[in-house]
Amino acid sequence: LRDIVESLRTGTTGMGVSTTWDGKPAVVCGLNPENGKVFVSTKSAFSKTVKAYHTEAEIRAGMEIPDLANKLIDCLRHLPKIGIKGVLQGDLMFTSDTKKPITVDGINCIGFQPNTILYTVPVSSPIGQSVARAKIGIVFHTAYSGSTMSSLSATTFNFNAKQLKKNADVWFTDPNVYDLTPALLKPNESDPMLKSISECEALAKVVAPFLTTLLARKDIMESLMPYINGTINGGLAQFTAKGLSLYVKTRFEKDINKLKSEKGKEAKTETMNKALNFIDAYEKQFTSLFTLHNKIANVKEMILTKLHGISQFGHFFVDGDGIQPTDPEGFVIARSGRVVKLVNRLRFSRQNRKVNQ
C-alpha cells in the first residue's frame, strides 16, 4: 500500500499496475506447443486432463454448455486474425450477439455485460467505433510458455497487447495502466494515506502474536470468513468482536435447533460456549484485529477512488432496481514477483454475490 501511494504521489513506479476486467469466460488460446495448431480453451487447459480445442467439431463434442461452446467457436474463428504467438489467457468481454445500444446521460453508447458489470463506451469515440465493428472483444493479461500444454507456465502477468496485429473483427486490449497521470495524488491526499499506513504498520505488530492463537482455533476460523462476507452482503464493512460473537451464537443455535437428541444438543451447545468464551476472552485482540482490517480497507478504498479515474469505460451494475453507476472491478499490482488484487469488497463483491447467488 505504501509503494502504491508513493507511485501515485510521484507518478513513477517500478510496479506493474493493471485493471481487472469482469469478463466471462476466461479464454486460453494460441498455438498448441505440441502440434503448432491454433487452439482455444477455458481454464480447463490447465486441468489434470488438458482440454485444447482445435476445431469447431472438437468444441461441440467437448463442451456441454451450448452458449459456452458458441463463444469458444467465435474465438476460434476470429482470434487467429491477430497473430497470437505462444499461448495467452484473457477474459472474453463480448461477442456480436452480446453487445447492445444503450443511452447514458443522453449519450449514445454501446454496452456489454459479460458478468456482473455492464461496460459502456460512447459510440462516437474511437474505442466505441472499434467495439461496434468487432465480432468479439477480449482482454489479454497473461502469457505462457512451455514445450507441452501440461508444462505451460506464466511468463508475464502484464502482457502487452500492442504486439498483436490489429483486425477490425477483434477488439482487444490488455489491462495494463501505462499512464498514472489521471490518478496522481496531491499532498493533501497522499499525506493522510501515508499516516494511515503508518498506523496500520504499528497495529500489525500488536496483532501478529494473536494470529497464531486464532489460526489454531478451527471452530472460530470456520465462522470468521462467513461473518465477514455476511456483513458485507448486508451493506456493512466494519467488523467487531461483538458482531462476530453474535454471528457465531446465531449460527450454532440454528444447528442446535435442527438436532433431535438432547445429547447432541448438549454437545453442540458446549462447543458453542467454548467458541463464545474464546471470543470473549480475546475481545481486546479481536478488536485490534478488526481495527487493523478496517484501517487497511479504508486506505485501499482511498487508493481505488483515485485509480478509478483511469478507466475510459463507464461501469454500471444492473439489478431489479435498474441501472446504477458503479466502479471498475478492481486493480492488480505486480510487485517483486508477487501479485496483489485490490477490490472494493463492499461494492463489487456484494454485487457479484447478488448476481451470481
Side-chain angles (χ1 to χ4, degrees):
L1 291 175
R2 184 179 291 280
D3 286 351
I4 295 170
V5 172
E6 288 291 350
S7 296
L8 296 182
R9 186 178 67 85
T10 61
T12 58
T13 178
M15 302 182 297
V17 182
S18 58
T19 58
T20 56
W21 290 72
D22 186 33
K24 188 179 181 180
V27 175
V28 180
C29 57
L31 301 179
N32 187 329
E34 297 175 18
N35 55 30
K37 295 181 180 180
V38 173
F39 81 95
V40 296
S41 185
T42 60
K43 288 183 179 179
S44 60
F46 304 115
S47 62
K48 289 184 178 180
T49 303
V50 177
K51 295 182 180 179
Y53 307 108
H54 307 84
T55 66
E56 293 185 18
E58 289 180 0
I59 295 174
R60 293 291 184 199
M63 304 300 299
E64 297 180 357
I65 303 174
D67 181 62
L68 181 56
N70 290 337
K71 285 181 169 60
L72 287 184
I73 287 172
D74 281 338
C75 290
L76 186 62
R77 288 174 179 170
H78 302 298
L79 290 181
K81 300 174 184 178
I82 59 176
I84 298 175
K85 298 178 181 179
V87 177
L88 301 179
Q89 181 176 339
D91 294 314
L92 188 66
M93 303 308 295
F94 63 81
T95 53
S96 294
D97 58 341
T98 60
K99 295 180 293 182
K100 59 183 178 181
I102 185 171
T103 301
V104 179
D105 296 330
I107 300 174
N108 293 328
C109 297
I110 188 165
F112 47 90
Q113 185 179 357
N115 195 22
T116 301
I117 293 177
L118 167 64
Y119 293 86
T120 67
V121 62
V123 176
S124 60
S125 68
I127 294 179
Q129 293 173 16
S130 297
V131 169
R133 288 193 301 266
K135 293 182 173 63
I136 64 170
I138 188 168
V139 179
F140 292 111
H141 51 76
T142 307
Y144 297 88
S145 66
S147 57
T148 64
M149 289 294 297
S150 59
S151 68
L152 289 175
S153 61
T155 55
T156 179
F157 295 102
N158 299 99
F159 177 73
N160 187 334
K162 294 178 181 178
Q163 59 192 275
L164 300 175
K165 296 188 300 184
K166 292 184 178 181
N167 185 282
D169 290 338
V170 184
W171 177 83
F172 63 84
T173 188
D174 59 54
N176 302 322
V177 176
Y178 297 101
D179 182 11
L180 290 173
T181 302
L184 290 183
L185 296 169
K186 298 176 182 178
N188 65 330
E189 294 173 315
S190 61
D191 289 349
M193 292 185 190
L194 293 172
K195 180 181 178 182
S196 293
I197 291 171
S198 295
E199 293 173 354
C200 289
E201 290 169 339
L203 190 54
K205 295 178 181 178
V206 176
V207 170
F210 173 57
L211 293 181
T212 301
T213 303
L214 176 60
L215 290 170
R217 291 296 301 250
K218 184 180 178 181
D219 54 341
I220 305 298
M221 293 305 299
E222 287 178 343
S223 294
L224 189 57
M225 282 309 298
Y227 161 64
I228 291 175
N229 289 336
T231 304
I232 288 173
N233 290 343
L236 302 175
Q238 298 297 308
F239 314 104
T240 65
K242 290 183 178 179
L244 175 61
S245 183
L246 178 61
Y247 178 86
V248 170
K249 187 173 186 295
T250 302
R251 188 179 187 184
F252 269 97
E253 286 179 344
K254 286 182 178 179
D255 293 337
I256 292 170
N257 291 333
K258 294 177 182 177
L259 299 175
K260 295 181 178 180
S261 71
E262 288 301 319
K263 186 176 181 180
K265 289 183 178 181
E266 289 176 4
K268 198 72 172 179
T269 299
E270 183 180 355
T271 302
M272 176 186 73
N273 289 333
K274 286 182 179 179
L276 294 176
N277 290 337
F278 177 85
I279 297 172
D280 184 60
Y282 287 93
E283 181 178 1
K284 183 178 179 180
Q285 288 87 343
F286 271 109
T287 298
S288 295
L289 173 65
F290 287 135
T291 298
L292 173 60
H293 185 290
N294 295 335
K295 281 181 175 290
I296 291 174
N298 289 337
V299 175
K300 184 185 69 173
E301 301 312 325
M302 286 190 282
I303 291 172
L304 284 171
T305 297
K306 294 300 295 185
L307 290 175
H308 290 159
I310 293 172
S311 179
Q312 295 178 291
F313 282 81
H315 299 76
F316 297 88
F317 176 64
V318 183
D319 63 7
D321 299 323
I323 300 176
Q324 308 159 31
T326 189
D327 301 321
E329 179 187 350
F331 291 83
V332 174
I333 312 297
R335 171 182 174 275
S336 302
R338 299 176 63 187
V339 176
V340 177
K341 187 175 182 179
L342 302 182
V343 175
N344 184 326
R345 296 203 67 214
L346 184 59
R347 182 175 293 223
F348 181 77
S349 297
R350 184 186 179 205
Q351 291 171 347
N352 197 32
R353 288 192 182 90
K354 190 175 182 180
V355 169
N356 294 295
Q357 62 186 359

